[in-house]
Amino acid sequence: MTNSNRIKLTWISFFSYALTGALVIVTGMVMGNIADYFHLPVSSMSNTFTFLNAGILISIFLNAWLMEIVPLKTQLRFGFLLMVLAVLGLMFGQSLTLFSLSMFVLGLVSGITMSIGTFLITHMYEGRQRGARLLFTDSFFSMAGMIFPMLAAWLLARTIEWYWVYACIGLVYVAIFVLTLGCEFPVLGKQAKQDADQPVVKEKWGIGVLFLSIAALCYILGQLGFISWVPEYAKGLGMSLNDAGKLVSNFWMSYMFGMWAFSFILRFFDLQRILTVLAGMAAVLMYLFIHASPENMPWFILTLGFFSSAIYTSIITLGSLQTKVASPKLVNFVLTCGTIGTMLTFVVTGPIVAHSGPQAALVTANSLYAVVFVMCFALGFVTRHRQHNAAASAH
């Protein structure tokens, strides 16, 4: 693979994460305007965004098999067509049904590109470099999560219709489409076997993949369950809405800086050991935040954001290192478990808050972080990443 081709594929991965980050995080900014547009209460409008999450989950799950049947370049180009149709559906559709369908299609496109982006990084980079690259790629999710809500606020303040926000997000996919031109992609599945002219030996995943999948689900469910209810919890302690919102932005800001820092730091440590330390620290910091006085809460959430930033991508990287060759099915399986965590966020935390209040949701999130620590610790006894790293280094 030529260096320029590798750079193009890496940038496709960066933009795939930016696309998903923009679509998911911009929801809170536009929900009120969309509810007004359809003359609905915000509470019932929020349910229609489940179609976006459902699309992401289904496409990541199915793409484990689709990658071996449909070439990656074809998927991305077809995704561009779907993106255009979905944005046109949002712009010209007057019904809630068409809006929900367009959201579902946006979710499908986002999930497909994100799973391809993750696979490309795990396919092109080895060992510790893989973890660092994947972490830097994931920082584009947070970066888009900072840029697009600001863009949405700027557009909405000028009474520009909400659907133009999605047209702007569509420009990210235009960049992906342009990068696919004249770019060679890895060949997978039956075609790869024909090219190699030899059967591919199937390799067992091992119990380590189960530990990592549980960790991925518990981490995302814990993180989103925590950050979703922090404002309500803070308001209950007498903080203003502005200060409560600032806690959330502090978390994502330090999360992004953490990703950049750990993309460098991770190269010098064994991935399983540092992941266990970070998961343990994150669980302790979340506990301290929940039991802190309001004046100390900003410091604990800043450090929590920083130290938890490398956990999810390290889980995916370790998953990809459990076999000699990064398997798209394995990577997508771990990603799917994380996405199930996203889907379950309000299903799990909603009833807990209704019954026992926001603090109970935060304590539940803290317990889930403790499970992540236990899974990462247990992984140390069964992980295969060290022998595969050693084999890669020998080559």
Side-chain angles (χ1 to χ4, degrees), residues 257-268:
F257 287 131
M259 283 175 167
W260 291 341
F262 282 108
S263 65
F264 175 73
I265 295 165
L266 284 185
R267 298 177 190 192
F268 304 102

Side-chain angles (χ1 to χ4, degrees), residues 231-239:
E232 287 299 315
Y233 174 66
K235 280 193 286 179
L237 295 178
M239 291 175 78

